[in-house]
Amino acid sequence: MRKTFLKKLLSLSLALMLLLSCASFALAWEPQWEHDEDLSDYKLCENFGDITLKIAVTDHASISSWEDNEFVKWLEDVTNVDLTFELIPYEGRAEKLGLILNSGNYPDVFLSCGMTSAMISRFGVDEGMFLPLNDLIAEHGTFTKKMFEEFPGTEGLITQLDGNIYSLPVVNECFHCTAPRKFWINQTWLDNLGLAMPTTLDELYDVLVAFRDQDANGNGDPTDEIPLAGDYKDGWYTNVENPIMNAFCYYTLDLDTTVTTDSSAFGMYMDGDTVSTPFALDSFKQGVEYVRKLVDEGLIYVGSFTQDLAALTQIAESDRLGACSGGYILFCNLGSDIYRNYRPVLPVAGPEGYTNAISYPYDSVGGNGYTISADCEHPVEAFKLGDLLYSYAATMRGYYGVYGEQWTDADPDAIGINGEPALFKLLTPWQESEPQSYSVLQMTISYRDAKFRLGEPSDPNVDLYSADGLETLLYQVTQEYKPYTKDEQAMPNLKFTDEENETMSVLKANLSTTIKEGMIAFFNGTKSVETDYDAWLADLESQGLSQLVEIYQNAYNAQYK
């Protein structure tokens, strides 16, 4: 399909040139849209199959076949390289990847298969099993260097402590993910009771009390409403305490049971150039006490600390939920009648007028998505394949599928989600649940900058609370949240030595459990802030919280000061 498109474009160009001049000329392909590229330099061998590369990939359930995938066929057509694959199961891929790395029998390339920074440190820096990419980037990294220019600091971010780059990252500039800890309230309930949108903690308290006592859902039963709820198991930022705690202090702590090693599992943030945790702050303790007060008064559902997202959704869809945190209104069925009831609450001001929305300014570029084995027989070609994946053409095909079938050029005058001219139009809804053979979704590196993600057409009259309006809704809400964010306090990405990673793995395992269990116990009342808090702080100290912070501080000093 892409070849047909190029032939048509070449024919149109030739006809135009013939009209303008009868002189001979060298026909060249002109890009049709802003991000298109001439990929002729990526024909890596003369005949198909002269070079074969074996690539370790994640065997995602929605990719029916890697060998017989239209995106892979397109890559082979562009490069002439025969691509073969070693599949790593999506479930348990960390264990499988670890077995491969310890076997010493490596594929040529590891592509988006869960490579961790600790693995890069051990197998790249310490053992030399991965290929340093610095010289290859300098000589052949057309799209990689463009990424460095458009995302300043990226080169330093992916450079290891020995000065080498061993892995190319994923670029995924998700605008609404930069401030994902949003708060949603049932506007219908507010209207039923004649209440205004809360702007302070006191106003929020009054609203929650009214939800509890005044039959907010109007079903005649004033006892079935749950004012505020959440879940800690599988929701995306559905932690129930988040909007409350961020009215007292900078609260980045993530008590999701799946988050056990990230700095957010330990509440880390930057106070100037100092890596800090909030647990000993008076404002933090006051926030914990306030959450406990809301639980005691039935304003926060105590089941929030044990239930999963499915249970939370059941509460919401039965029209019993007043308010909930979430990266979007994920606690309802997308586009349902109940879903349409919820509106965003901007960060409420606390007792001292403090407001905050947690931001993630360093997450647009990250991960270790493309790593080449040191004994790869064709290192230049392997690198250029990785560099190619950052092209607009590869990004579109890898994520969406075949040009002209799953996506095409935007209609004239079409406007994107961000209000700027649209870049493309989807012909098939994007999904990653059903098997398909036209794309590899997010199982590859790509260059999805903000223009890409927000370049999808959006009807200016779109229903924001329909499935089609979700991205536009999140874009608009995130713009409203941005003035409340404090990017300077966000933890930057840090690199650690293999020895440091080993030390931290032990510290983090114990501390994450103690932090999560302690916080939930203080929230739900099984521990008393008045009598048990100091002993809990002592436990954190005895389990090495200060040592963990020191390791992060040393890494920060070495990389950013």
Side-chain angles (χ1 to χ4, degrees), residues 265-510:
F266 312 95
M268 291 186 186
Y269 65 96
M270 296 304 304
D271 182 6
D273 285 331
T274 302
V275 177
S276 302
T277 58
F279 307 113
L281 297 177
D282 288 341
S283 57
F284 182 88
K285 187 175 179 181
Q286 290 166 8
V288 172
E289 291 176 319
Y290 196 90
V291 173
R292 169 67 181 281
K293 170 187 173 182
L294 299 185
V295 173
D296 286 347
E297 296 183 14
L299 303 179
I300 288 179
Y301 176 49
V302 71
S304 300
F305 307 113
T306 55
Q307 70 182 354
D308 59 13
L309 182 59
L312 177 62
T313 301
Q314 186 176 20
I315 293 172
E317 285 290 337
S318 63
D319 196 19
R320 298 173 55 222
L321 181 60
C324 188
S325 297
Y328 60 100
I329 311 171
L330 73 164
F331 46 88
C332 292
N333 298 324
L334 181 61
S336 71
D337 290 343
I338 296 295
Y339 174 95
R340 292 172 175 274
N341 290 342
Y342 290 90
R343 296 295 182 270
V345 187
L346 295 180
V348 296
E352 304 297 326
Y354 182 83
T355 60
N356 182 48
I358 294 296
S359 61
Y360 297 91
Y362 302 105
D363 286 3
S364 295
V365 182
N368 300 288
Y370 194 90
T371 309
I372 302 173
S373 170
D375 59 4
C376 175
E377 187 178 351
H378 304 285
V380 173
E381 291 78 8
F383 171 77
K384 292 191 71 173
L385 175 67
D387 188 64
L388 169 65
L389 293 173
Y390 288 134
S391 68
Y392 178 72
T395 293
M396 288 298 297
R397 287 161 176 79
Y399 191 66
Y400 287 122
V402 179
Y403 176 85
E405 295 183 14
Q406 280 75 45
W407 65 281
T408 189
D409 307 326
D411 294 333
D413 301 324
I415 301 300
I417 293 169
N418 57 1
E420 299 179 7
L423 297 178
F424 57 89
K425 178 174 69 176
L426 295 186
L427 303 175
T428 302
W430 187 88
Q431 60 86 26
E432 56 179 348
S433 57
E434 298 298 326
Q436 50 77 34
S437 60
Y438 49 77
S439 76
V440 295
L441 306 167
Q442 303 186 76
M443 297 296 106
T444 180
I445 63 170
S446 58
Y447 192 81
R448 289 181 281 158
D449 61 2
K451 288 183 179 180
F452 168 87
R453 290 189 62 114
L454 301 175
E456 183 179 343
S458 174
D459 184 341
N461 299 314
V462 68
D463 178 357
L464 294 178
Y465 290 89
S466 67
D468 291 339
L470 176 60
E471 287 290 336
T472 305
L473 171 65
L474 292 180
Y475 176 75
Q476 293 181 4
V477 174
T478 303
Q479 283 187 310
E480 295 177 0
Y481 264 65
K482 276 296 186 180
Y484 295 88
T485 60
K486 300 173 176 59
D487 288 355
E488 71 278 4
Q489 291 195 259
M491 278 292 299
N493 296 305
L494 299 173
K495 295 176 285 290
F496 303 96
T497 66
D498 192 35
E499 181 180 354
E500 287 171 335
N501 281 318
E502 288 184 4
T503 299
M504 288 193 299
S505 67
V506 178
L507 296 176
K508 288 181 174 182
N510 294 329

